């Protein structure tokens, strides 16, 4: 198979369980544009997030940054993103809207008043929300570049958010790295994740990228994810972004352990692109999972590609 | 209108610059030439703006200073259609790390194309910032000193241009501009400070020699300033020369 094959999309009908429709400047190419590439990629639906932070252009930077890692400018929490997301949906007809599962996420997770933001968004834009996320906790350089305390999933401010999620039956997608970029010998933040999953058993969590991001590595990783799925029935994972390229299918070779895991827990595993507003990447990014889906049984494949995400995200909850 | 590209076993239709970027990203850098050669002059169907031009320029053939000339050649003599602003000009030059690429790029734009991009002295300075040696000369030759001087009304603005030239070329540049025009840029003590701090020693010496009594009085109204200026900006030799000239001319009018 040639390298350009990806641009033709997946051979399987998929749900993109992890798609950001704005970038770090809070710009969007629009949901119509997104739909065009979803069609090309064979993506029937998508769970869509904004981004809770906006990259500034600080006085000390001569050239404007286009990505959070582009320079030393800080990021700040940007709550308007949820309202903008709701407004973007209004440009679509009802059949198009039905292909998106919008999520609320524009708040500072270290603020004990953050739950009020969710309440306000539901009040002013009712009847369209499917969940909460992607909430950015421990996230390597992004955490360090964001004003305020480092966010973590077991922060006391999150208790009221998790209570709201229980009340509305919102699934909540969280990004919490399993360890820091500088600590590769053991998963130093795993205890924060487990504490959160343990203390909020009624919350439906989706652990984004299984706790991995750029430069993050821990030994025994596959076993850790397996244990999490085994111990916490309220946790699902999305295999999005670099967890796939670096652990599940490194250099195009599938890891047997991950295949076994996906087979066993297929009803709690979904796939996502983690595309950030560059929708032209949707076909190729979703297509990369084909080799993984090919290797699964028909039943597991159906869950991982579509059913798990549909069960988690498709109901409108508020 | 889309363009069909093929690589190894696959063919796809590319509709815009974003999709071309994805295609270049999915394939190895050595495939970029193969892909771009299939697009050829249809590139204008895909690349329709400055930002799209830069998007692909960043990506094509790698991101660590590789030659990007085959991409530039797709545009032939119409590069000016997608390089229309000073910002694009400087960003493109920043991305072109090979001197031959820079020379090709500048010549392809030509005098007309380059001048059309330039609306401020900052546009000139930011272009020169990414050019070295022969390419500095080529850029200036193409746009011309007469054109450059339209944007220069102070030593600060002249300094913005001169500071990016090779030091060995500075004297020749001042000669081409002509001392009367250089002196016209020096109207305030701040201009004089820019000149003394920015020019190389030989050219500061030459400048001091051009300052007549009237100009010296305008720029250094009181003698006490001489010491401060000399200490802060001048070498010992030039400090002595300025003091000697000031004192000599003072007899003719400076008190």
């Amino acid at each position: 198979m040639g390298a350009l094959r990806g641009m033709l999309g997946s051979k399987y009908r998929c749900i993109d369980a992890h798609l950001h429709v704005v970038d770090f400047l809070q710009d969007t190419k629009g949901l119509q544009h997104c739909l065009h590439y979803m069609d090309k990629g064979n993506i029937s639906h998508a769970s869509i997030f904004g981004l809770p932070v906006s990259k500034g252009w600080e006085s000390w930077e001569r050239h404007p940054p286009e990505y959070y890692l582009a320079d030393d400018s800080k990021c700040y929490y940007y709550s308007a993103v949820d309202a903008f997301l709701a407004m973007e949906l209004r440009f679509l007809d009802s059949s198009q809207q039905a292909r998106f599962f919008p999520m609320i996420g524009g708040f500072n997770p270290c603020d004990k008043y953050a739950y009020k933001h969710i309440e306000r968004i539901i009040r002013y834009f009712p009847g369209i929300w499917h969940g909460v996320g992607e909430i950015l906790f421990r996230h390597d350089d992004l955490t360090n570049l964001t004003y305020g305390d480092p966010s973590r999933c077991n922060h006391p401010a999150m208790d009221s958010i998790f209570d709201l999620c229980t009340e509305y039956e919102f699934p909540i997608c969280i990004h919490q790295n399993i360890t820091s970029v500088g600590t590769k010998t053991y998963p130093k933040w795993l205890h924060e994740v487990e504490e959160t999953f343990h203390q909020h058993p009624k919350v439906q969590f989706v652990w984004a990228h299984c706790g991995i991001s750029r430069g993050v590595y821990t030994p025994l990783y596959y076993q850790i994810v397996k244990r999490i799925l085994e111990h916490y029935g309220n946790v699902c994972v999305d295999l999005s972004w670099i967890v796939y390229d670096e652990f599940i299918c490194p250099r195009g070779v599938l890891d047997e352990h991950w295949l076994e895991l996906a087979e066993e827990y297929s009803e709690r595993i979904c796939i996502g692109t983690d595309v950030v507003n560059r929708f032209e990447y949707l076909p190729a990014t979703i297509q990369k999972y084909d080799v993984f889906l090919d290797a699964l049984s028909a039943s597991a494949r159906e869950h991982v590609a579509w059913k798990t995400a549909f069960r988690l995200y498709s109901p409108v909850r508020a | 209108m889309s363009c069909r590209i093929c690589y190894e076993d696959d063919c796809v239709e590319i509709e815009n610059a974003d999709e071309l970027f994805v295609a270049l990203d999915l394939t190895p850098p050595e495939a970029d030439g193969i892909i771009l050669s299939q697009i050829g002059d249809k590139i204008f169907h895909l690349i329709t703006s400055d930002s799209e031009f830069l998007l692909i320029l960043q990506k094509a053939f790698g991101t660590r200073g590789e030659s990007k000339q085959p991409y530039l050649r797709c545009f032939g003599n119409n590069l000016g259609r997608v390089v229309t602003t000073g910002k694009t000009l400087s960003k493109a030059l920043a991305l072109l790390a090979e001197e031959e690429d820079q020379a090709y790029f500048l010549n392809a734009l030509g005098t007309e194309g380059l001048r059309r991009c330039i609306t401020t002295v900052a546009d000139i300075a930011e272009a020169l910032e990414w050019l070295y040696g022969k390419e500095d000369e080529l850029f200036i030759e193409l746009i011309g000193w007469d054109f450059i001087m339209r944007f220069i009304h102070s030593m600060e603005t002249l300094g913005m241009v001169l500071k990016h030239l090779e030091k060995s070329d500075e004297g020749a540049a001042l000669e081409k501009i002509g001392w009367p025009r250089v002196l016209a840029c020096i109207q305030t003590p701040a201009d004089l400070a820019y000149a003394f701090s920015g020019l190389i020693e030989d050219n500061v010496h030459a400048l001091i020699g051009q300052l007549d009594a009237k100009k010296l009085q305008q720029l250094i109204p009181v003698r006490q300033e001489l010491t401060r200026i000399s200490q802060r900006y001048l070498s010992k030799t030039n400090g002595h020369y300025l003091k000697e000239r000031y004192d000599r001319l003072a007899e003719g009018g400076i008190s």
Side-chain angles (χ1 to χ4, degrees):
Chain A
M1 191 186 74
L4 292 175
R5 171 66 186 82
M7 295 185 78
L8 302 173
S10 175
K11 61 182 168 187
Y12 302 109
R13 182 183 65 145
C14 295
I15 290 179
D16 184 348
H18 194 125
L19 171 58
H20 296 276
V21 295
V22 304
D23 58 25
F24 281 92
L25 309 184
Q26 298 294 332
D27 289 328
T28 180
K29 292 178 178 176
L31 295 178
Q32 287 286 2
H33 192 68
C34 182
L35 282 168
H36 172 72
Y37 286 104
M38 282 169 64
D39 288 339
K40 277 193 161 189
N42 200 12
I43 298 169
S44 63
H45 302 76
S47 313
I48 54 171
F49 315 119
L51 274 167
V53 294
S54 186
K55 176 80 169 175
W57 182 6
E58 303 281 9
S59 60
W60 61 77
E61 297 295 351
R62 183 169 154 201
H63 300 289
E66 292 170 353
Y67 188 55
Y68 77 87
L69 285 173
D71 62 23
D72 290 340
S73 297
K74 297 280 192 181
C75 298
Y76 58 96
Y77 289 101
Y78 193 85
S79 290
V81 63
D82 292 326
F84 294 157
L85 205 162
M87 303 294 272
E88 283 290 328
L89 281 164
R90 292 180 181 176
F91 295 129
L92 306 179
D93 64 39
S94 56
S95 67
Q96 292 171 322
Q97 287 172 356
R99 295 180 63 185
F100 291 110
F101 309 145
M103 313 278 280
I104 300 171
F107 56 84
N108 175 356
C110 300
D111 175 8
K112 290 204 278 187
Y113 275 144
Y115 72 93
K116 284 176 175 280
H117 169 77
I118 296 180
E119 291 175 341
R120 280 191 289 266
I121 285 293
I122 292 170
R123 187 186 326 139
Y124 290 112
F125 303 96
I128 60 170
W129 302 106
H130 295 239
V132 172
E134 177 192 12
I135 309 306
L136 303 180
F137 299 116
R138 303 279 194 182
H139 195 308
D140 54 271
D141 297 306
L142 182 57
T143 304
N144 300 327
L145 284 168
T146 301
Y147 284 111
D149 292 346
S151 56
R152 53 190 167 89
C153 60
N154 63 342
H155 193 287
M158 284 304 297
D159 288 343
S160 50
I161 301 286
F162 292 137
D163 289 344
L164 263 187
C165 287
T166 305
E167 181 185 338
Y168 286 102
E169 297 181 354
F170 277 149
I172 179 168
C173 179
I174 64 167
H175 179 124
Q176 160 97 13
N177 287 354
I178 199 165
T179 188
S180 71
V181 173
T183 303
K184 292 182 165 60
T185 47
Y186 74 105
K188 72 184 302 183
W189 292 327
L190 177 60
H191 73 97
E192 294 181 351
V193 185
E194 293 212 65
E195 181 185 319
T196 304
F197 293 160
H198 179 77
Q199 290 192 351
H200 301 280
K202 291 186 178 175
V203 175
Q204 174 63 70
F205 290 98
V206 180
W207 194 19
H209 336 296
C210 303
I212 288 292
S213 72
R214 195 180 284 113
V216 171
Y217 173 83
T218 185
L220 304 171
Y221 178 46
Y222 147 76
Q223 290 91 326
I224 292 168
V225 175
K226 188 175 182 189
R227 192 183 78 192
I228 291 283
L229 288 170
E230 202 173 285
H231 284 219
Y232 305 99
N234 57 332
V235 176
C236 291
V237 295
D238 77 36
L239 306 182
S240 58
W241 199 26
I242 56 179
V243 64
Y244 182 79
D245 303 314
E246 296 193 2
F247 291 90
I248 300 170
C249 194
R251 291 174 295 283
V253 180
L254 283 171
D255 183 308
E256 286 299 321
H257 294 301
W258 282 93
L259 269 179
E260 285 169 23
L261 184 82
E263 200 64 53
E264 188 175 353
Y265 291 99
S266 63
E267 293 180 24
R268 290 162 60 197
I269 294 175
C270 48
I271 51 174
T273 60
D274 204 11
V275 158
V276 177
N277 190 35
R278 297 191 68 175
F279 305 128
E280 63 275 11
Y281 269 95
L282 285 173
T285 312
I286 202 73
Q287 191 274 340
K288 74 179 179 183
Y289 296 101
D290 276 9
V291 61
F292 177 59
L293 297 173
D294 284 343
L296 294 174
S297 66
S299 166
R301 177 166 57 236
E302 210 173 335
H303 282 292
V304 172
W306 206 87
K307 279 187 172 173
T308 303
F310 193 80
R311 174 180 61 79
L312 278 171
Y313 291 122
S314 65
V316 179
R317 277 124 176 165
Chain B
M1 185 184 285
S2 63
C3 292
R4 187 173 179 79
I5 57 167
C6 298
Y7 179 68
E8 293 180 339
D9 302 333
D10 297 314
C11 293
V12 292
E13 297 286 332
I14 301 285
E15 291 178 353
N16 52 46
D18 288 337
E19 292 183 8
L20 176 57
F21 187 97
V22 175
L24 296 175
D25 195 25
L26 293 177
T27 52
E30 52 269 26
D32 293 4
I34 299 167
I35 289 172
L36 288 170
S37 68
Q38 294 171 63
I39 294 170
D41 60 6
K42 287 188 204 147
I43 196 84
F44 287 107
H45 298 313
L46 305 177
I47 309 289
T48 59
S49 67
D50 287 40
S51 59
E52 290 172 352
F53 167 74
L54 289 173
L55 177 77
I56 302 302
L57 185 66
Q58 286 187 62
K59 185 71 191 166
F61 301 101
T63 53
R64 297 192 177 202
E66 296 86 348
S67 172
K68 292 168 183 282
Q69 210 170 133
Y71 173 58
L72 299 177
R73 288 188 182 277
C74 291
F75 297 89
N77 293 323
N78 293 310
L79 201 50
R81 282 165 62 178
V82 288
V83 181
T84 66
T85 71
K87 290 285 174 211
T88 309
L89 180 64
S90 63
K91 186 75 189 284
L93 289 170
L95 294 170
L96 294 171
E98 294 266 334
E99 288 183 13
E100 285 180 8
D101 288 6
Q102 291 186 334
Y104 176 85
F105 176 75
L106 294 173
N107 281 314
L109 283 171
T111 299
E112 197 186 327
L114 288 170
R115 285 186 173 186
R116 215 173 28 233
C117 292
I118 293 166
T119 56
T120 67
V121 67
D123 291 335
I124 299 169
E126 286 173 21
L128 281 169
E129 184 175 356
W130 308 108
L131 297 169
Y132 303 92
K134 281 187 299 182
E135 276 61 50
D136 272 345
E137 290 172 33
L138 175 61
F139 176 70
I140 287 172
E141 186 187 314
L142 284 167
I143 59 173
W145 274 111
D146 285 340
F147 179 75
I148 293 172
M149 291 308 289
R150 289 188 209 170
F151 302 96
I152 290 176
H153 307 289
S154 66
M155 201 58 212
E156 182 184 4
T157 48
L158 180 57
M160 286 169 68
V161 175
L162 292 178
K163 78 172 181 183
H164 293 300
L165 302 184
E166 300 274 318
K167 286 298 174 194
S168 57
D169 293 337
E170 188 183 274
L174 291 170
E175 289 297 329
K176 280 182 188 164
I177 296 166
W179 281 110
R181 285 203 292 192
V182 175
L183 290 171
C185 291
I186 304 176
Q187 296 295 333
T188 67
D191 287 327
L192 187 67
Y194 270 110
F196 283 171
S197 63
L199 298 176
I200 62 171
E201 189 167 351
D202 286 354
N203 293 326
V204 169
H205 192 85
L207 171 62
I208 293 169
Q210 295 289 331
L211 298 171
D212 61 17
K214 189 177 166 200
K215 198 77 175 175
L216 276 172
Q217 189 161 34
Q218 175 192 341
L219 300 171
I220 310 174
V222 291
R223 200 175 185 289
Q224 296 91 305
E225 270 293 276
L226 263 181
T227 307
R228 191 187 67 82
I229 289 170
S230 296
Q231 278 179 352
R232 184 172 288 185
Y233 302 113
L234 299 178
S235 66
K236 207 172 219 177
T237 310
N238 279 337
H240 283 310
Y241 182 44
L242 179 64
K243 185 166 175 292
E244 178 263 321
R245 191 167 171 75
Y246 194 91
D247 288 341
R248 182 156 51 83
L249 291 172
E251 291 170 12
I254 300 175
S255 55

